[in-house]
């Protein structure tokens, strides 16, 4: 973003330089009684362009600050989401362990019944 801002500033400066050169050439060609008016117009245009350039630079700086703030918020949110994911993974592990333990306990209690069912089926 800074490179594009720098390119824009360089373009404006080049434009100002070109405008200054053209204005100087036009002023030399113009009649002497218009010379004072031409210089005033030139300075007025130059002041307006410099003011616009200054305003543009301030807006770009403010935009850069807003972008930095937004990037910091994104990093904070990402860290929070990572923490939530870690907590979820941990809770899922605990749930799986409890399930496996309960299943194993149930199977220990049911295994004699299953063996008896197998035995009865074999006898039939």
């Amino acid at each position: 973003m800074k490179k594009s801002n720098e390119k824009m500033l360089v373009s404006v400066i080049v434009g100002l330089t070109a405008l200054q050169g053209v204005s100087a050439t036009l002023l030399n060609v113009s009649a002497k009684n218009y010379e004072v008016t031409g210089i005033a117009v030139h300075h007025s245009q130059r002041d307006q362009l410099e003011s616009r350039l200054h305003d543009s630079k301030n807006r770009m700086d403010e935009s850069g600050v807003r972008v930095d703030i937004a990037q910091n918020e994104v990093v904070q949110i990402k860290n929070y989401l990572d923490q939530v994911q870690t907590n979820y993974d941990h809770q899922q592990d605990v749930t799986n362990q409890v399930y496996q333990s309960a299943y194993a306990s149930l199977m220990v209690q049911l295994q004699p019944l299953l063996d008896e069912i197998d035995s009865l089926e074999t006898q039939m």
Side-chain angles (χ1 to χ4, degrees), residues 16-78:
L16 284 173
T17 304
L19 180 63
Q20 197 172 17
V22 169
S23 296
T25 303
L26 289 175
L27 286 175
N28 289 336
V29 174
S30 66
K32 287 187 179 184
N33 58 345
Y34 294 110
E35 205 168 297
V36 174
T37 306
I39 290 173
V41 167
H42 170 71
H43 285 297
S44 175
Q45 288 176 343
R46 181 177 175 191
D47 291 342
Q48 287 176 353
L49 287 174
E50 286 176 350
S51 175
R52 288 180 189 165
L53 177 64
H54 180 69
D55 291 345
S56 296
K57 185 179 180 307
N58 285 341
R59 282 194 303 268
M60 289 183 336
D61 290 343
E62 290 171 3
S63 295
V65 168
R66 285 194 300 265
V67 165
D68 290 343
I69 290 170
Q71 286 175 341
N72 287 336
E73 289 176 352
V74 166
V75 168
Q76 289 175 356
I77 290 170
K78 184 185 176 303

Side-chain angles (χ1 to χ4, degrees), residues 10-11 16 20 26 28 42 56 64 80 91 97 110 122-123:
V10 168
S11 296
L16 284 173
Q20 197 172 17
L26 289 175
N28 289 336
H42 170 71
S56 296
Y80 177 73
Q91 188 61 40
Q97 289 173 356
L110 290 179
T122 305
Q123 290 175 3

